[in-house]
Amino acid sequence: MKAVRYYGPNKPLKIEDVEKPKITEDEVLVKVKAAGVCHTDLHFLDGTLVPWKGTLPITLGHEIAGEIEEVGKKVKNFKKGDRVVINNNKSCGKCEYCKRGMQNLCNDLDQHGFTIDGGYAEYVKTVERTLVKLPKEVPFEKAAVLPCAVGSVYHGLTDQAKLEAGESLLINGFGGLGTSAFQVAKHLGAKVFVVDVSKEKLKMAEEMGADGVIDGTKPNVNEEIKRMTGGKGVNVALELVGLKKTMENAFNSLAKMGRYVIIGYTKDLLEINPLSLVVGEFRIIGSVSYTHQNLIDVVELARKKKISPVVSKTVKLDEIPEVLNQMKEKKVVGRVVAKP
Ligand SMILES: [Zn+2]
Ligand SMILES: [Zn+2]
């Protein structure tokens, strides 16, 4: 079968013919119908991110939806022909975090497209516990991007920030994750304020029904947010940019008891006087990936059309290296999905 293989940082991706995976009695073979082409792959290519276990080469692609081709004898809840989306966190299923349903924090985590073969191929093998059944109402292309584009902000806003109806949220950065966070927050019944430096993105936020938009290039962003919230500040701020200035603005926009959730990679440092944490009883919270239950919830939200990730283009497997090149040069708008 055809697969897009990663050999390490600063080496080109290769499109190769590899053997179709053979499954054991615990495994499931999935015929890939759609695989999201994610910005994270660029971190592998430039060496910012290196697979922390396993051996190279591997097949990249961590956003995968498809149809079950074959199941092992011990597989109970899935059968040939089932439509599925794959949780790319192939957790051990046994450690203390897995037992608590926090597969994202598993002590022995493998990840499809990170440490083991992913979805830039005609087939991928996995295990039952990574699979979520996909209702027919959700097309494969949208399903593929659900885990990464929606799952992570869903985890951040629900499990981590515990955002409630009637509360206010500030979204720092209105890209793919920002628009997903917007849909999730509106579904939860929150008021949403958006900060971005792009006028087009702010216009989009307004059209989607934002309760307020703030131009991030202006000084005193946090004062503007305080003004928009009647002097109170926001209950939750979601950090999707990670620059020193955006982080300070977000933290300083919080209402008392406000929660500041940080998602994604940042190199800048956040400097805070501990006293400023104490006086408002603020919380700073990290959020990584998503749990299996989060993915089940997100698929259900997509079925009900409460959230709908935007896919701008579909390509073939052998076009992936070129798409990633274009993404690096910021020539790609929206999400691209590969269909083997
Ligand atoms: Zn991704
Ligand atoms: Zn585990």
Side-chain angles (χ1 to χ4, degrees):
M1 66 166 189
K2 211 189 251 188
V4 181
R5 306 284 279 169
Y6 168 73
Y7 279 81
N10 305 310
K11 291 179 187 163
L13 291 174
K14 286 189 189 166
I15 294 150
E16 292 179 331
D17 267 320
V18 298
E19 217 179 311
K20 186 173 160 185
K22 289 190 178 67
I23 58 165
T24 64
E25 54 188 16
D26 298 310
E27 290 179 321
V28 178
L29 185 67
V30 176
K31 186 174 175 37
V32 179
K33 293 284 192 178
V37 183
C38 183
H39 196 263
T40 305
D41 293 341
L42 294 176
H43 296 309
F44 280 115
L45 292 171
D46 71 14
T48 314
L49 204 61
V50 184
W52 51 94
K53 61 197 275 201
T55 50
L56 293 176
I58 61 162
T59 302
L60 289 185
H62 57 272
E63 308 179 355
I64 318 160
E67 203 174 274
I68 295 182
E69 175 84 0
E70 193 187 344
V71 297
K73 260 190 289 186
K74 286 191 180 163
V75 172
K76 290 190 201 103
N77 300 313
F78 292 87
K79 59 177 192 315
K80 182 177 162 70
D82 282 350
R83 304 171 87 245
V84 290
V85 55
I86 297 181
N87 182 337
N88 90 299
N89 297 314
K90 191 185 168 211
S91 54
C92 77
K94 293 178 218 149
C95 74
E96 58 177 308
Y97 297 100
C98 282
K99 281 183 183 151
R100 289 164 63 185
M102 311 294 293
Q103 296 86 357
N104 55 328
L105 298 179
C106 172
N107 284 336
D108 190 19
L109 188 63
D110 263 313
Q111 287 183 282
H112 286 292
F114 282 53
T115 64
I116 52 173
D117 285 342
Y120 293 164
E122 290 170 66
Y123 297 91
V124 60
K125 71 170 179 177
T126 186
V127 289
E128 197 173 3
R129 64 178 173 278
T130 71
L131 299 175
V132 174
K133 276 191 187 139
L134 189 63
K136 59 181 183 323
E137 293 93 330
V138 187
F140 287 117
E141 301 87 80
K142 281 190 191 283
V145 303
L146 278 177
C148 205
V150 187
S152 56
V153 289
Y154 184 83
H155 179 61
L157 293 178
T158 59
D159 299 331
Q160 301 303 83
K162 304 207 184 320
L163 179 67
E164 287 178 16
E167 286 195 315
S168 54
L169 168 73
L170 167 69
I171 299 174
N172 231 350
F174 207 60
L177 287 185
T179 48
S180 297
F182 187 95
Q183 292 178 345
V184 170
K186 279 290 171 194
H187 165 70
L188 294 170
K191 282 192 174 140
V192 186
F193 301 89
V194 173
V195 181
D196 203 286
V197 294
S198 149
K199 289 211 163 53
E200 291 85 62
K201 286 182 179 171
L202 292 179
K203 188 162 169 269
M204 185 163 85
E206 258 173 350
E207 284 165 4
M208 285 172 74
D211 296 274
V213 300
I214 300 119
D215 180 348
T217 61
K218 298 256 165 75
N220 309 325
V221 167
N222 54 312
E223 281 165 29
E224 186 62 12
I225 292 161
K226 286 263 166 88
R227 191 189 60 75
M228 285 181 172
T229 51
K232 206 178 129 201
V234 289
N235 302 107
V236 174
L238 182 66
E239 183 61 52
L240 301 171
V241 181
L243 298 174
K244 188 172 159 57
K245 190 177 144 225
T246 64
M247 292 192 288
E248 281 171 1
N249 274 330
F251 181 76
N252 290 323
S253 303
L254 290 176
K256 286 177 195 168
M257 295 174 74
R259 291 89 77 195
Y260 178 35
V261 182
I262 302 179
I263 291 183
Y265 310 102
T266 153
K267 285 184 190 146
D268 283 11
L269 293 182
L270 170 62
E271 261 179 65
I272 283 170
N273 179 335
L275 185 62
S276 63
L277 260 187
V278 171
V279 290
E281 295 200 338
F282 302 116
R283 291 172 209 192
I284 300 175
I285 308 170
S287 186
V288 66
S289 196
Y290 51 88
T291 68
H292 200 62
Q293 186 60 47
N294 292 150
L295 185 55
I296 292 168
D297 293 350
V298 161
V299 167
E300 179 59 9
L301 289 179
R303 187 186 69 78
K304 291 184 187 154
K305 304 225 166 16
K306 299 282 182 195
I307 48 169
S308 181
V310 180
V311 173
S312 53
K313 192 177 165 194
T314 57
V315 298
K316 297 206 180 80
L317 277 185
D318 46 19
E319 294 174 83
I320 290 173
E322 181 51 33
V323 169
L324 284 165
N325 264 336
Q326 290 169 359
M327 282 165 80
K328 194 174 165 186
E329 287 159 23
K330 302 202 188 304
K331 284 185 192 155
V332 176
V333 182
R335 292 299 243 113
V336 177
V337 165
K339 300 194 79 170

